[in-house]
């Protein structure tokens, strides 16, 4: 299936609650450059959390129209208009004596780490002071559950349909802080929860599809996530598949998965 890598903006952090900050970060990031550096294999630029091939997804053309695109000059303009100023290009911006500082967290696995390393300087280029913290998996999740991040490298896996992806990313019963869920932006909205639940349970297909579209539009309007890129991974076998214990039992199984480093033994039935 397909997965999408994005940058969520932690709504538990006061600075990330500012729309101009979210917009400026999104405009500062260059999807193409990040993609070419962070991951090999079959990959694609992403403009929505839901990959185009998933039932209920909007078309790639529609997603591109709604997404924000790389434009560092526009990022600088947005920050200036919001009162974040500096005296020269690349210098850290301030507002009322406060520096424009961002804590950027990533797990120490392959493309997660590389995405943060490549993206960080793009933010610095428009005036952010960026601290990148890369952690092993245990520390990483402890920090997430404590809310110690402004932005992070996130992944949402493509499942059976669009609403499951959207519900995972946006519902309050999936909050990362403090619950360890995959609502990495820590979005909390009772109205949105109702829409997500109704889109999952309604027996009316037309109503479900309209709710999904309304949720996607709200996601884009609020800029809670900035999709970057995605990739496809497939596991196939003929007759019999063995070796999975070694794969899933390995302490670095995620790294092996993403880089296709593990070879399975295929036996005859």
């Amino acid at each position: 299936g397909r997965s999408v890598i994005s940058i969520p903006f932690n709504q538990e952090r006061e600075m990330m609650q500012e729309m101009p900050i979210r917009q400026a970060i999104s405009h500062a990031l260059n999807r193409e450059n990040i993609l070419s550096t962070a991951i090999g294999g079959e990959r694609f630029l992403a403009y929505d959390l839901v990959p185009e091939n998933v039932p209920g997804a909007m078309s790639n053309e529609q997603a591109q129209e709604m997404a924000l695109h790389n434009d560092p000059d526009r990022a600088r303009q947005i920050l200036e208009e919001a009162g974040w100023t500096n005296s020269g290009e690349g210098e850290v911006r301030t507002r009322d004596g406060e520096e424009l500082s961002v804590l950027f967290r990533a797990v120490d696995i392959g493309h997660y780490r590389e995405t943060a390393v490549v993206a960080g300087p793009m933010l610095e280029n428009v005036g952010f002071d960026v601290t990148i913290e890369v952690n092993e998996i245990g520390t990483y999740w402890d920090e997430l559950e404590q809310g110690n991040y402004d932005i992070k490298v996130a992944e949402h896996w493509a499942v059976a349909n669009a609403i499951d992806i959207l519900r995972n990313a946006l519902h309050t019963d999936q909050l990362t802080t403090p619950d360890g869920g995959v609502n990495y932006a820590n979005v909390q909205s009772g109205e949105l929860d109702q829409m997500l639940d109704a889109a999952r349970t309604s027996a009316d297909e037309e109503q479900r599809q309209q709710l999904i579209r309304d949720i996607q539009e709200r996601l884009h309007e609020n800029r809670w996530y900035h999709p970057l890129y995605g990739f496809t991974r497939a596991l196939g076998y003929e007759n019999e598949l063995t070796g999975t214990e070694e794969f899933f039992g390995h302490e670095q199984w995620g790294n092996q998965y993403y880089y296709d480093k593990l070879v399975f033994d295929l036996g005859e039935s």
Side-chain angles (χ1 to χ4, degrees), residues 217-238:
E217 290 179 356
R218 184 169 297 196
L219 174 61
H220 280 275
E221 289 168 0
N222 286 278
R223 309 298 175 191
W224 289 312
Y225 291 82
H226 182 64
L228 291 174
Y229 63 86
F231 55 91
T232 303
R233 290 290 180 268
L235 178 63
Y237 67 94
E238 182 179 357

Side-chain angles (χ1 to χ4, degrees), residues 32-87:
E32 290 82 357
N33 288 355
I34 294 172
L35 176 63
S36 65
T37 304
I39 188 170
E42 185 178 344
R43 53 196 180 170
F44 57 93
L45 296 173
Y47 303 96
D48 189 78
L49 289 185
V50 183
E52 187 178 27
N53 67 332
V54 173
M58 64 176 63
S59 71
N60 195 51
E61 291 75 18
Q62 291 172 314
Q64 286 191 55
E65 289 180 5
M66 300 183 72
L68 295 183
H69 299 271
N70 181 230
D71 188 344
D73 288 338
R74 177 60 181 147
R76 296 184 187 100
Q77 180 184 1
I78 290 171
L79 293 171
E80 289 280 342
E81 293 173 351
W84 294 99
T85 62
N86 59 8
S87 57

Side-chain angles (χ1 to χ4, degrees), residues 74-205:
R74 177 60 181 147
R76 296 184 187 100
Q77 180 184 1
I78 290 171
L79 293 171
E80 289 280 342
E81 293 173 351
W84 294 99
T85 62
N86 59 8
S87 57
E89 187 172 317
E91 293 188 5
V92 175
R93 295 177 179 273
T94 61
R95 185 178 67 185
D96 300 328
E98 179 185 9
E99 289 192 341
L100 186 58
S101 299
V102 171
L103 176 57
F104 194 167
R105 193 169 298 284
V107 67
D108 192 11
I109 295 177
H111 63 283
Y112 293 104
R113 177 185 61 248
E114 296 306 316
T115 295
V117 169
V118 175
M122 296 177 183
L123 303 184
E124 292 173 342
N125 184 49
V126 300
F128 285 89
D129 175 36
V130 182
T131 299
I132 298 175
E133 292 193 5
V134 178
N135 312 112
E136 57 83 24
I137 189 70
T139 301
Y140 172 74
W141 275 104
D142 287 344
E143 295 290 347
L144 295 188
E145 290 174 9
Q146 294 172 38
N148 294 330
Y149 65 100
D150 292 305
I151 59 177
K152 67 178 288 292
V153 182
E155 177 177 355
H156 287 96
W157 291 22
V159 285
N161 52 62
I163 190 56
D164 285 343
I165 299 172
L166 293 168
R167 194 181 189 284
N168 285 341
L170 297 170
H171 202 284
T172 54
D173 69 8
Q174 286 291 330
L175 292 174
T176 300
T177 307
D179 301 328
V182 293
N183 176 353
Y184 298 117
N186 287 309
V187 175
Q188 299 186 56
S189 168
E191 180 184 5
L192 186 57
D193 283 352
Q194 291 178 358
M195 293 171 65
L196 290 161
D197 291 338
R200 196 179 195 187
T201 60
S202 174
D204 186 326
E205 176 66 18

Side-chain angles (χ1 to χ4, degrees), residues 232-250:
T232 303
R233 290 290 180 268
L235 178 63
Y237 67 94
E238 182 179 357
N239 298 324
E240 183 181 1
L241 177 65
T242 63
T244 55
E245 295 83 2
E246 177 188 358
F247 178 60
F248 294 110
H250 193 285

